[in-house]
Amino acid sequence: DGGRAVFLLDPDSHQSFKDLLGHWGIIVGDRTLVDEYSSVTGDPRTPLLQSDQYLGATPITDPLDVTFFPGATPLGIPQEFQEDPRKQPPWVQYLPLASTSFVSWATSDLERNTFRAGEDQAGPLPLAMAMRATSTLEEEPATLPLNTSPKVTSLVVIGDSDFATNRYFPAFTNGDLLLNTVNWLAEDYSLIALRPKP
């Protein structure tokens, strides 16, 4: 109904959040991302994204440099939409924002940091995405009178909450990612910029 929200979700997020986002076709994983190619030194379970790992051109990610995500989980959309975009309802638009490297995977093993075929989900994997829609997947939007704009629901989902905590917010452009996301949802694009570091 035209609402706007940001979700910062981890692998162990409550099922109610996953069910809610499922109505919009956003799938939240329950595995942990491991990135051997691009991660914080000594911790492959903390993917580190460079500017070329941001997808598409959006005001959220355009001004970003390096961000990192301790204990992140992958996101996705229904497989049928990936295989055939024509099956995606025209009233739903997905905007991928960031992805892990090609040498990454998602695992449910809490200790192992080596890829195991058949058990792990191979990368690259989406880590953040935005969505705009005029209705959920299950319900086609109502026909509106002429000269009436539909109410657009806007969501941003990031597969990690730790990057925005007090400990990591000031590091690199972690804080900019969160603030840019909020400003994009509020449609206050003038505030989206690289901010001076304290």
Side-chain angles (χ1 to χ4, degrees), residues 38 40 47-54 63-69 171-177 194 197:
S38 184
V40 171
L48 185 143
L49 271 62
Q50 308 285 348
S51 56
D52 62 348
Q53 289 175 271
Y54 298 107
L64 297 180
D65 188 15
V66 175
T67 52
F68 62 89
F69 304 89
F172 298 106
T173 53
N174 282 11
D176 291 331
L177 172 58
L194 283 174
K197 299 299 178 189

Side-chain angles (χ1 to χ4, degrees), residues 76-154:
I77 60 174
Q79 187 69 31
E80 60 189 277
F81 296 172
Q82 298 177 45
E83 295 171 353
D84 185 358
R86 293 172 297 179
K87 293 182 178 180
Q88 182 178 315
W91 59 86
V92 179
Q93 177 190 21
Y94 299 106
L95 303 168
L97 298 177
S99 175
T100 57
S101 77
F102 282 91
V103 190
S104 65
W105 61 90
T107 181
S108 55
D109 192 309
L110 298 178
E111 302 294 335
R112 175 175 46 82
N113 287 333
T114 55
F115 179 74
R116 186 171 293 171
E119 291 185 27
D120 299 331
Q121 180 184 1
L125 296 164
L127 180 56
M129 66 188 315
M131 185 232 60
R132 282 183 165 151
T134 53
S135 186
T136 62
L137 295 183
E138 300 96 351
E139 188 174 346
E140 192 167 337
T143 303
L144 297 172
L146 290 174
N147 301 321
T148 304
S149 298
K151 293 181 178 180
V152 178
T153 297
S154 299

Side-chain angles (χ1 to χ4, degrees), residues 170-195:
F172 298 106
T173 53
N174 282 11
D176 291 331
L177 172 58
L178 180 64
L179 296 175
N180 289 356
T181 297
V182 173
N183 292 335
W184 182 81
L185 288 167
E187 298 182 2
D188 198 342
Y189 304 118
S190 63
L191 293 177
I192 298 179
L194 283 174
R195 297 164 178 83

